[in-house]
Amino acid sequence: MILLANSLTTPAIGTLVWSTVIFVLFFLILTKFAWKPILSAVRARDEMIRSSLESAEKAREEMLKLQSDNEAILRKAREEREGILKEAREVRDKLIAEAKGKATEEAEKLVEKARAGIESEKRIALAEIREKVANLSVDIASRLIGERLKQTGEQEKLIDNYLKEIDFNKN
């Protein structure tokens, strides 16, 4: 059993020689036929990875540049928006002020026109009242004088006096 265990752990010399010969032949064949294509494939893959990393770096730099450009554009757009809003507020305030001024002016004109109309109507009404008061006064006076003259008999004397004055005026 010791022999069996010993043979399993130590290889035979012939196996070692043949294994070495096969390994050297395999290494020579690989060196002659496969080594250059494998190395060129590894170099190509290495180059592809390097160019991919460079492209990724360029893309990252370009993305950062685009982000900063976007931020600048957004800042500028916000500033323009604020300017437009400020201008719109100023125009609105100006229009409101103009509208208030015009409304005040129109109201003053209407009030003045109403005052003039009221004054004119007042003068007309006063003139009518004066005319009616004068007519009523004359009517009342003529009735009172007529009643008084009838009662006292002075009507004949008054007529005679008027006739005498008329005769005097003709001369």
Side-chain angles (χ1 to χ4, degrees):
M1 207 142 136
I2 295 184
L3 225 178
L4 186 59
N6 206 8
S7 70
L8 286 176
T9 57
T10 55
I13 299 255
T15 307
L16 274 175
V17 170
W18 279 111
S19 293
T20 305
V21 169
I22 289 174
F23 179 75
V24 170
L25 278 174
F26 181 70
F27 185 73
L28 289 173
I29 290 171
L30 274 177
T31 312
K32 180 153 181 122
F33 295 108
W35 193 255
K36 287 184 184 178
I38 289 172
L39 282 178
S40 67
V42 168
R43 284 186 193 121
R45 186 164 184 251
D46 187 40
E47 187 62 36
M48 184 185 73
I49 290 171
R50 188 177 295 122
S51 69
S52 294
L53 287 173
E54 288 174 2
S55 296
E57 183 62 28
K58 285 180 184 176
R60 187 180 72 80
E61 289 173 1
E62 199 170 309
M63 184 184 68
L64 290 174
K65 183 182 177 203
L66 287 175
Q67 280 180 336
S68 66
D69 288 349
N70 284 343
E71 288 174 7
I73 289 171
L74 284 173
R75 227 177 296 114
K76 185 177 179 182
R78 285 184 191 117
E79 290 171 1
E80 287 179 6
R81 181 192 71 193
E82 289 302 319
I84 289 170
L85 288 175
K86 182 180 178 184
E87 185 177 324
R89 283 186 210 110
E90 289 173 357
V91 168
R92 180 197 66 195
D93 293 342
K94 183 179 176 183
L95 289 175
I96 289 172
E98 286 178 5
K100 283 182 181 178
K102 285 183 181 179
T104 304
E105 186 179 310
E106 288 296 319
E108 288 175 2
K109 285 181 182 178
L110 287 174
V111 167
E112 190 59 37
K113 189 175 181 181
R115 283 183 183 150
I118 290 170
E119 191 62 35
S120 172
E121 291 295 321
K122 180 180 168 184
R123 276 188 249 118
I124 291 171
L126 286 175
E128 288 177 2
I129 289 172
R130 283 185 196 128
E131 184 180 334
K132 286 184 181 181
V133 167
N135 287 339
L136 283 174
S137 297
V138 169
D139 191 34
I140 290 172
S142 66
R143 285 186 185 172
L144 283 174
I145 291 175
E147 285 294 318
R148 194 169 176 211
L149 290 176
K150 283 183 188 174
Q151 290 173 359
T152 59
E154 295 211 5
Q155 187 175 14
E156 289 178 10
K157 289 181 188 176
L158 187 60
I159 293 172
D160 287 338
N161 283 336
Y162 283 136
L163 288 177
K164 287 180 186 176
E165 285 179 17
I166 293 173
D167 289 339
F168 289 120
N169 285 335
K170 287 184 181 178
N171 289 330

